[in-house]
Amino acid sequence: MKELEEKILEEGIVIGPNILKVDSFLNQQIDSELILKMGKEFAQYFKDKNIDKVLTVESSGIAPALATALELGVKCVFARKQQSLTTGENVYHSSVYSFTKQVTNELIVSKNFLKEDENVLMIDDFLANGQAAKGMVALIRQAGANPVGLGIVIEKSFSDGREIIKDMGIDLYSLARIAKLEDGEITFVKED
Ligand code: G4P
């Protein structure tokens, strides 16, 4: 997505060889117009998949997931990383290890919000090693629902997430694919 790549070049800050700071439009302040365009783009790509629900992980996945769900006319569910006061015991959960942050998070979603046979589209802000996506797939499978696709805002293509997702047979669509982050420079994957 050209406009997203331009935004990343304008406002993204490379922090070391692996981390891109994009909190001026995605991770803290949210560029609402750009997010709505992302939702349109994901909805267009996945429109033939009969999506019943969009699933993401709190917190930064929620904005693009909501924009996509709005466009598809379906509900948006986010997995929590901590039990809330009201979540109760009736939940699916999976464990996710983040190589980037070196922490393990529990993903928790109420059984009321993922149902058998639903076609679920997963959306997230970053794809690195695919662990958050694997955690979402585990939640969807526990519910007997179908993980039909994964939409990613920024894919770090130098990590192995894409391969992991493809090996699971899941249709992956990333709006921006970063080939490398080197000496403060951002290089995108050249699509043919
Ligand atoms: P993986 O799920 O693909 O294996 O990725 P990883 O564990 O490496 O990422 C875990 C968290 O780190 C996610 O946020 C993800 O959005 C974030 N992250 C990964 N790489 C980058 C990066 O280059 N830049 C930024 N800004 N974030 C990155 P999270 O723990 O879910 O937190 P939240 O921001 O959604 O609350």
Side-chain angles (χ1 to χ4, degrees):
M1 186 179 172
K2 191 104 191 77
E3 198 175 337
L4 173 62
E5 289 188 358
E6 283 166 6
K7 190 76 165 176
I8 292 170
L9 291 176
E10 271 164 33
E11 297 186 17
I13 301 167
V14 178
I15 303 181
N18 288 320
I19 303 292
L20 178 68
K21 186 174 159 104
V22 285
D23 56 1
S24 67
F25 65 93
L26 184 62
N27 287 143
Q28 184 157 29
Q29 175 169 258
I30 293 169
D31 184 324
S32 30
E33 280 190 12
L34 184 59
I35 288 281
L36 291 180
K37 287 179 188 166
M38 291 177 195
K40 283 193 170 47
E41 184 79 22
F42 284 133
Q44 173 64 25
Y45 182 87
F46 290 109
K47 67 179 187 313
D48 298 328
K49 299 264 185 192
N50 287 319
I51 307 293
D52 295 304
K53 201 156 271 179
V54 174
L55 176 67
T56 188
V57 177
E58 67 170 343
S59 55
S60 302
I62 295 176
L66 177 64
T68 308
L70 189 68
E71 202 59 37
L72 289 168
V74 300
K75 291 197 169 134
C76 171
V77 178
F78 64 91
R80 292 182 179 276
K81 291 182 190 151
Q82 283 180 339
Q83 283 275 14
S84 80
L85 276 177
T86 55
T87 320
E89 297 300 312
N90 192 33
V91 294
Y92 300 114
H93 54 90
S94 62
S95 282
V96 172
Y97 179 71
S98 165
F99 292 99
T100 308
K101 296 190 175 172
Q102 304 197 336
V103 291
T104 300
N105 280 309
E106 211 51 29
L107 299 190
I108 302 159
V109 71
S110 166
K111 290 184 181 176
N112 293 326
F113 305 133
L114 282 181
K115 295 290 182 194
E116 199 173 347
D117 293 333
E118 279 181 333
N119 293 328
V120 182
L121 171 63
M122 299 167 284
I123 298 284
D124 213 350
D125 57 338
F126 273 90
L127 175 66
N129 302 102
Q131 299 306 298
K134 269 174 88 173
M136 284 196 276
V137 168
L139 295 173
I140 294 165
R141 295 222 162 108
Q142 284 170 48
N146 315 309
V148 296
L150 173 64
I152 292 290
V153 177
I154 302 176
E155 174 187 317
K156 299 200 291 189
S157 304
F158 50 85
S159 298
D160 53 9
R162 169 167 284 264
E163 225 169 272
I164 287 169
I165 301 307
K166 288 284 169 195
D167 285 350
M168 289 194 288
I170 289 169
D171 189 2
L172 168 65
Y173 180 49
S174 301
L175 300 183
R177 299 184 60 202
I178 293 179
K180 59 179 178 182
L181 296 171
E182 227 170 59
D183 305 326
E185 292 246 331
I186 301 161
T187 310
F188 294 105
V189 173
K190 285 193 180 69
E191 310 275 0
D192 12 78

